[in-house]
């Protein structure tokens, strides 16, 4: 079983070949990158694919939820925050893909899972919008490689339903 501690949680991937904290900040660790690009929190390798996991805990989801705005200024601020979050999640994936490409580790399909502490409605909205931002499959007829095979934005409840074998425990 491959187990990874990340941001106060323990992730278990029982059928993984390997799993590790990818966004490593400790220079003495083997997965430390040392270049100024973003990285997903966890990479889990399976016999037939890689899974990139990004975990973000937000204690106030209303800062991203335009439906809770009451003034034009608040609408604009929340739209800007939502756009920032989409871009942030997109670049986390893209930079991680570049790291793995440079490591010659894009030899299997890559699936991206963003684990956010939002309610189902906001998770579903971000899931839909992030898929538009991140090229899935062969996004261009000229492409030979696929950048991402799939993208899922989930909360803890959806994670448990979609990935019942991959357990998460609060440390």
């Amino acid at each position: 079983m491959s187990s990874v501690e990340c941001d106060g949680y323990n992730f278990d991937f029982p059928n993984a070949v390997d799993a590790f904290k990818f966004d490593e900040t400790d220079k003495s660790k083997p997965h430390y990158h040392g270049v100024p690009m973003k990285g997903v929190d966890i990479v889990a390798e399976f016999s037939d694919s890689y899974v990139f996991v990004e975990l973000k805990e937000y204690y106030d989801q209303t800062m991203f939820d335009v439906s809770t705005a009451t003034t034009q200024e608040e609408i604009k601020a929340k739209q800007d925050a939502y756009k920032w979050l989409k871009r942030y999640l997109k670049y986390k994936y893209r930079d991680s893909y570049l790291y793995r490409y440079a490591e010659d580790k894009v030899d299997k399909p890559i699936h991206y899972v963003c684990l956010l502490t939002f309610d189902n409605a906001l998770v579903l909205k971000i899931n839909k919008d992030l898929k538009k931002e991140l090229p899935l499959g062969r996004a261009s007829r000229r492409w030979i490689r696929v950048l991402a095979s799939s993208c899922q934005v989930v909360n803890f409840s959806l994670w448990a339903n979609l990935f019942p074998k991959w357990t998460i425990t609060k440390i």
Side-chain angles (χ1 to χ4, degrees):
M1 175 185 324
S2 290
S3 183
V4 180
E5 283 188 24
C6 180
D7 296 339
Y9 293 92
N10 190 67
F11 290 76
D12 286 320
F13 300 98
N15 52 341
V17 174
D18 191 16
F20 51 90
K21 184 176 177 187
F22 188 68
D23 195 11
E24 185 58 67
T25 56
D26 183 345
K27 292 179 181 182
S28 68
K29 301 283 182 166
H31 296 289
Y32 176 75
H33 298 290
V35 293
M37 296 185 341
K38 299 189 179 311
V40 294
D41 292 314
I42 297 170
V43 170
E45 179 181 357
F46 298 88
S47 60
D48 60 349
S49 65
Y50 296 104
V51 175
F52 290 4
V53 179
E54 178 62 23
L55 167 63
K56 285 288 164 228
E57 285 191 285
Y58 293 103
Y59 297 101
D60 181 11
Q61 80 170 29
T62 61
M63 65 189 286
F64 303 104
D65 190 352
V66 176
S67 70
T68 64
T70 57
T71 66
Q72 282 303 109
E73 294 81 25
E74 198 176 5
I75 290 171
K76 173 84 169 96
K78 290 177 186 244
Q79 285 174 333
D80 289 346
Y82 183 82
K83 287 176 190 173
W84 173 87
L85 179 60
K86 280 191 313 177
R87 279 190 226 111
Y88 179 78
L89 295 172
K90 172 178 65 175
Y91 293 129
K92 281 285 220 169
Y93 180 86
R94 284 189 186 174
D95 283 2
S96 298
Y97 181 90
L98 287 173
Y99 279 126
R100 298 296 281 173
Y101 179 82
E103 296 170 346
D104 200 22
K105 297 286 187 177
V106 292
D107 54 330
K108 304 175 191 179
I110 303 171
H111 305 280
Y112 186 30
V113 181
C114 298
L115 176 57
L116 306 177
T117 53
F118 292 165
D119 65 26
N120 287 347
L122 192 52
V123 162
L124 293 173
K125 178 174 177 29
I126 293 174
N127 188 47
K128 178 183 169 191
D129 293 340
L130 183 59
K131 286 179 179 181
K132 292 176 186 174
E133 297 271 330
L134 186 69
L136 297 176
R138 283 186 55 202
S140 167
R141 61 188 163 111
R142 294 179 46 206
W143 289 15
I144 296 169
R145 290 183 185 255
V146 171
L147 291 185
S149 294
S150 70
C151 174
Q152 293 291 323
V153 179
V154 299
N155 55 26
F156 284 95
S157 175
L158 290 169
W159 175 288
N161 289 334
L162 289 172
F163 314 115
K165 293 181 182 179
W166 302 345
T167 59
I168 303 172
T169 309
K170 181 102 170 137
I171 299 173

